[in-house]
């Protein structure tokens, strides 16, 4: 594997082997071909519903993430832990939700690069309030949201190449 400049938080993580499971396929996903034009109205309606569901899934495919390698996941988890600690300090003691600058400082302080902090847009998953953020470890994304509660996740870049969908 070529040498990759990693964020301080990822490089500091021990590279103990961990088991990483692949995400399960969404429920109800079938790869079997669907017969068309059976002549039965109920069957044809089911075919149209299945085709619509598949088209909708394809429309959202740009947000899909791949599976992280175990050593990459270990470094990303270490970064996610540091990000969570920093963000929790911003809201400790009943303080108001932090602003974009404070969240950017907390995420950047971990050593992550390509940090993005912004309000959620139309293409982002989840509620439309608070702030979302993402940063790059050098091999993985650390991303999440700051709302009433703080969420921090890890993953690969999404299919369109970034850690978050482009803002609208």
């Amino acid at each position: 594997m070529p040498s990759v400049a990693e964020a301080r938080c990822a490089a500091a993580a021990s590279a103990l082997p961990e088991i990483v499971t692949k995400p399960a396929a969404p429920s109800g996903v079938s790869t079997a071909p669907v017969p068309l034009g059976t002549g039965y109205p109920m069957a044809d309606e089911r075919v149209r519903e299945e085709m619509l569901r598949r088209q909708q899934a394809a429309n959202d495919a740009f947000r899909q993430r791949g599976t992280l390698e175990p050593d990459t996941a270990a470094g990303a988890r270490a970064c996610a832990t540091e990000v969570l600690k920093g963000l929790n300090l911003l809201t400790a003691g009943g303080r108001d939700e932090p602003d974009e600058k404070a969240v950017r400082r907390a995420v950047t302080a971990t050593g992550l690069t390509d940090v993005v902090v912004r309000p959620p847009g139309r293409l982002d998953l989840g509620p439309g309030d608070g702030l979302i953020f993402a940063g790059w470890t050098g091999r993985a994304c650390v991303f999440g949201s700051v709302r009433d509660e703080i969420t921090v996740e890890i993953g690969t870049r999404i299919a369109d190449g970034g850690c978050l969908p482009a803002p609208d």
Side-chain angles (χ1 to χ4, degrees):
M1 178 175 283
S3 176
V4 175
E6 286 195 273
R8 175 190 48 77
C9 53
S14 63
L16 296 175
E18 294 188 35
I19 298 172
V20 177
T21 59
K22 291 187 177 184
S27 63
V29 173
S30 171
T31 57
V34 177
L36 298 174
T38 62
Y40 297 102
M42 290 302 290
D44 287 345
E45 182 61 26
R46 286 190 193 122
V47 169
R48 284 192 289 277
E49 288 174 3
E50 176 65 12
M51 289 174 66
L52 176 62
R53 190 199 56 75
R54 287 182 185 190
Q55 289 170 347
Q56 289 172 331
N59 286 343
D60 290 337
F62 71 94
R63 287 187 273 225
Q64 300 301 312
R65 296 182 188 274
T67 303
L68 290 174
E69 296 295 324
D71 60 332
T72 301
R77 276 190 209 93
C79 290
T81 299
E82 280 195 41
V83 168
L84 184 59
K85 286 178 187 176
L87 293 176
N88 280 330
L89 288 174
L90 293 177
T91 58
R95 294 184 206 155
D96 291 335
E97 289 184 12
D99 63 7
E100 286 185 44
K101 288 181 182 179
V103 172
R104 181 179 302 280
R105 276 194 308 271
V107 174
T108 304
T110 65
L112 294 176
T113 60
D114 300 331
V115 174
V116 174
V117 179
R118 62 177 169 78
R122 181 179 55 86
L123 300 175
D124 295 305
L125 300 174
D129 61 341
L131 295 171
I132 60 171
F133 65 88
W136 180 242
T137 69
R139 295 170 58 186
C141 294
V142 176
F143 58 96
S145 62
V146 180
R147 296 182 174 95
D148 292 333
E149 60 183 53
I150 298 169
T151 62
V152 181
E153 301 177 57
I154 63 171
T156 63
R157 291 187 189 262
I158 59 176
D160 75 354
C163 287
L164 293 174
D168 37 304

